Amino acid sequence: MHLMELPREVLLGEGLAEESVSVARRLKLGRNALVLYGPRTREIAGEEVEENLSREFDVSGMVVKGATMEEVSRAMELAKELKADWMIAVGGGSIIDVAKLASYRLEIPFISFPTTASHDGIASANASIKDLGSKTSVKARPPIAVIADVKVIKTAPYRYLAAGVGDIISNLTAVKDWQLAHRIRGEYYSEYAASLSLMSAKMVMKNADIIRIGNEESVRKVVKGLISSGVAMSIAGSSRPASGAEHLFSHALDAIAPKPALHGEQVGVGTIITAYLHGLKWERVRETLKKVGAPTNAYELEIEPEIIIKALTIAHTIRPERYTILGRDGLTWEAAEKAAKITGVI
Ligand SMILES: NC(=O)C1=CN([C@@H]2O[C@H](COP(=O)(O)OP(=O)(O)OC[C@H]3O[C@@H](n4cnc5c(N)ncnc54)[C@H](OP(=O)(O)O)[C@@H]3O)[C@@H](O)[C@H]2O)C=CC1
Ligand SMILES: O=C(CO)COP(=O)(O)O
Ligand SMILES: [Zn+2]
């Protein structure tokens, strides 16, 4: 049996802080709610959401300091103490992932209220928690609803929107890796999930000029791509349609770079290299990233070229069960250096 869990409501619009009340009412989520936010996103939208909810629900708030197991446990403890019926996460990928895993483990629903369009975890069923013994995401449940307030997301620095494009464009090579694993390893493959995922990547390539403007329409384009990408992962039952070798490269950078860049920025650069390895038109990937102002090389990521090469050579060890273009043995130092040089990454 293949279980596909999807959000029941997706709201995309402006001034939606108040809508959290009607969503919770419509979905009959219960009386006690816990709002999670970061120190900054509390001011950006968290307090407003909390205030609105408090008119109709018993609400408590918690400041989350990062996507760690300690924070997941703290959120779970507080939710138990408050007898919370549901949670709402107001923030970036880290806050959403903490709520996603904590609510999954407590078997209560959560609403995703993103304040950035920088990652496709907004609507996905998997959570990336740093010290869970895995550098990659783990299975959880998707949000019961997504409330994407374009005005709020637009307050984030433009860099985050460009990073979102990187996370979406990575679907091009992720799907190629998935097809490879399907052919070579007989791995389960969903054409429907793959098509949805590829559609998001093609849409951002087509709309790069609009995205670059950084206005409400740009935010809408990226958010729609991120949500479709998350839904594709839920349909697949894994992050396969949106995470291949380019993500392994980014996970390797997170492990070894003194100061990693944003997730979407790193996977965007990784996609240039893995598109080259797949024999795809990697120049088109680079062109799109350049157009939207996302980093396309080591210098712009502020990561040393040696670290880039090292990450490419160890990427295949991050998640050995996920077969990709890197093969079982990975890239040699020479091959990694050559690929990075040819594509202008170093
Ligand atoms: N589960 C999944 O499927 C996926 C998960 N991810 C994960 O998501 C994380 C990346 O998410 P990302 O959003 O890039 O980064 P983070 O959530 O780690 O950080 C975002 C930072 O930006 C701040 N911020 C958030 N919104 C705004 C805003 N509107 N204006 C100004 N500052 C803002 C946050 O503030 P504050 O300090 O208040 O939090 C925080 O400091 C990674 O941990 C990655 O692994 C990525 C892709 C998919
Ligand atoms: O970032 C993701 C998809 O964009 C999740 O992928 P991982 O499963 O590799 O963590
Ligand atoms: Zn990603």
Side-chain angles (χ1 to χ4, degrees):
M1 201 238 346
H2 186 71
L3 178 67
M4 300 180 206
E5 286 184 284
L6 305 170
R8 280 181 49 197
E9 293 196 3
V10 176
L11 283 71
L12 177 62
E14 291 170 26
L16 298 183
E18 237 175 88
E19 288 299 319
S20 53
V21 180
S22 46
V23 170
R25 201 189 297 141
R26 265 198 306 273
L27 297 177
K28 299 186 173 52
L29 297 185
R31 173 120 211 108
N32 294 331
L34 176 60
V35 190
L36 301 188
Y37 32 57
R40 263 186 276 177
T41 61
R42 176 187 192 161
E43 283 168 32
I44 291 163
E47 266 170 357
E48 198 187 341
V49 168
E50 193 174 350
E51 246 175 61
N52 277 304
L53 287 171
S54 66
R55 291 194 208 120
E56 202 164 318
F57 300 93
D58 290 332
V59 191
S60 303
M62 174 184 147
V63 176
V64 174
K65 293 180 199 108
T68 62
M69 258 333 274
E70 200 183 326
E71 291 300 89
V72 172
S73 305
R74 217 162 57 82
M76 286 174 69
E77 283 313 311
L78 185 58
K80 274 193 252 175
E81 199 183 304
L82 298 165
K83 295 193 170 49
D85 298 302
W86 57 283
M87 287 186 193
I88 177 164
V90 183
S94 301
I95 311 295
I96 290 174
D97 279 349
V98 167
K100 204 183 278 176
L101 192 61
S103 60
Y104 174 62
R105 292 197 166 175
L106 291 172
E107 297 185 12
I108 58 173
F110 97 98
I111 296 177
S112 169
F113 193 110
T115 58
T116 58
S118 51
H119 62 95
D120 58 14
I122 291 173
S124 79
N126 40 303
S128 289
I129 303 294
K130 283 173 188 74
D131 47 0
L132 199 58
S134 145
K135 291 191 180 65
T136 56
S137 61
V138 294
K139 194 184 146 27
R141 196 165 294 130
I144 191 153
V146 178
I147 306 177
D149 187 328
V150 176
K151 275 235 154 59
V152 169
I153 295 170
K154 208 174 140 288
T155 64
Y158 176 79
R159 181 184 171 194
Y160 287 94
L161 198 66
V165 172
D167 211 14
I168 298 171
I169 211 164
S170 73
N171 296 3
L172 288 178
T173 48
V175 167
K176 279 279 166 203
D177 282 327
W178 196 14
Q179 289 168 343
L180 200 63
H182 175 58
R183 280 190 228 109
I184 293 180
R185 294 280 184 93
E187 196 181 297
Y188 164 79
Y189 176 76
S190 156
E191 202 178 341
Y192 182 59
S195 303
L196 183 59
S197 168
L198 286 178
M199 185 190 70
S200 306
K202 286 176 190 156
M203 290 297 280
V204 291
M205 291 173 95
K206 191 173 141 208
N207 291 303
D209 289 327
I210 296 172
I211 294 169
R212 182 62 184 132
I213 300 166
N215 62 10
E216 274 86 2
E217 195 186 356
S218 322
V219 171
R220 276 173 194 268
K221 296 269 182 223
V222 178
V223 168
K224 282 181 190 167
L226 294 168
I227 292 175
S228 306
S229 196
V231 168
M233 289 192 264
S234 293
I235 292 170
S238 82
S239 60
R240 256 302 188 185
S243 170
E246 73 301 314
H247 269 70
L248 298 178
F249 163 72
S250 170
H251 298 321
L253 284 179
D254 286 341
I256 64 170
K259 196 174 144 276
L262 289 177
H263 171 85
E265 293 176 334
Q266 295 183 163
V267 299
V269 171
T271 306
I272 300 175
I273 299 174
T274 54
Y276 162 76
L277 295 175
H278 272 291
L280 297 174
K281 291 186 180 127
W282 58 269
E283 294 92 341
R284 283 204 63 203
V285 175
R286 189 173 67 168
E287 222 173 85
T288 302
L289 292 174
K290 267 211 162 98
K291 228 183 234 178
V292 301
T296 58
N297 55 45
Y299 178 75
E300 288 164 359
L301 284 177
E302 295 184 33
I303 295 176
E304 289 300 318
E306 275 67 34
I307 304 277
I308 298 281
I309 302 174
K310 173 94 182 144
L312 285 169
T313 62
I314 62 166
H316 68 291
T317 64
I318 301 278
R319 187 188 233 161
E321 73 283 5
R322 182 160 294 193
Y323 193 78
T324 70
I325 191 70
L326 302 172
R328 271 212 330 239
D329 297 335
L331 299 187
T332 61
W333 186 274
E334 292 70 29
E337 189 172 15
K338 187 174 164 202
K341 276 195 173 149
I342 287 177
T343 52
V345 168
I346 60 170

